[in-house]
Amino acid sequence: MAHRHPTALDAEHVTHPAARRLLKAELANCAPCRARAGSEALADLEPSGVFDALLRGYALKRAQQWRTRRTRYPVTLADLAPPHELRFLGRATHEVARGCVIESRAGHKVATTDALAELRLLTDEERAAVLGDVIDGILEGEG
Ligand SMILES: [Zn+2]
């Protein structure tokens, strides 16, 4: 049944409506909506699609958290990550993070072409694990 989750969601870097629906369903812990929106994200690996929107939101949030005064751009998300943070990421997520390129310190630009290509090479289980890491990262500090 279609219903809404009147959940407060910040996730400032995520604007895609279906991506935000998934994040709200996660915050509301609504199993049917999580399953439906999750399948939708896993099935849409196109540029500017649902998974891409989540990946960009994740990359931009982490880029702001992980940058230092010495960070040189462009930089991949994997290169930007502090070693102790990388340990929390699954292998597949680490590979995808290698494909996310943060273009500049100020900007809201992240190139995900290589990351989307990497996602297509993964198994369904690996792709679902990446989605889980990405969602956890975006929602960290929320809810
Ligand atoms: Zn629901």
Side-chain angles (χ1 to χ4, degrees), residues 44-67:
D44 183 1
L45 304 181
E46 294 303 311
S48 303
V50 185
F51 209 128
D52 190 32
L54 293 165
L55 200 53
R56 288 168 184 279
Y58 172 73
L60 289 169
K61 176 174 181 173
R62 287 307 193 209
Q64 290 186 357
Q65 289 173 334
W66 290 343
R67 68 187 174 189

Side-chain angles (χ1 to χ4, degrees), residues 21-136:
R21 270 201 301 280
L22 172 53
L23 295 172
K24 285 191 174 187
E26 289 285 338
L27 281 178
N29 208 15
C30 178
C33 290
R34 288 173 65 187
R36 188 169 55 237
S39 309
E40 198 180 352
L42 291 168
D44 183 1
L45 304 181
E46 294 303 311
S48 303
V50 185
F51 209 128
D52 190 32
L54 293 165
L55 200 53
R56 288 168 184 279
Y58 172 73
L60 289 169
K61 176 174 181 173
R62 287 307 193 209
Q64 290 186 357
Q65 289 173 334
W66 290 343
R67 68 187 174 189
T68 70
R69 272 174 306 173
R70 290 187 305 276
T71 302
R72 307 266 302 265
Y73 297 87
V75 64
T76 73
L77 193 62
D79 285 337
L80 192 57
H84 66 275
E85 295 280 356
L86 275 182
R87 285 208 310 271
F88 289 109
L89 299 181
R91 190 200 57 80
T93 305
H94 191 164
E95 288 303 315
V96 170
R98 282 186 205 283
C100 292
V101 182
I102 316 301
E103 310 272 12
S104 71
R105 171 178 297 271
H108 293 273
K109 279 185 69 181
V110 47
T112 53
T113 309
D114 292 348
L116 293 173
E118 180 65 31
L119 278 173
R120 289 192 185 89
L121 299 177
L122 299 176
T123 66
D124 291 349
E125 289 76 18
E126 289 170 329
R127 208 175 293 122
V130 174
L131 182 62
D133 281 346
V134 164
I135 290 171
D136 287 349

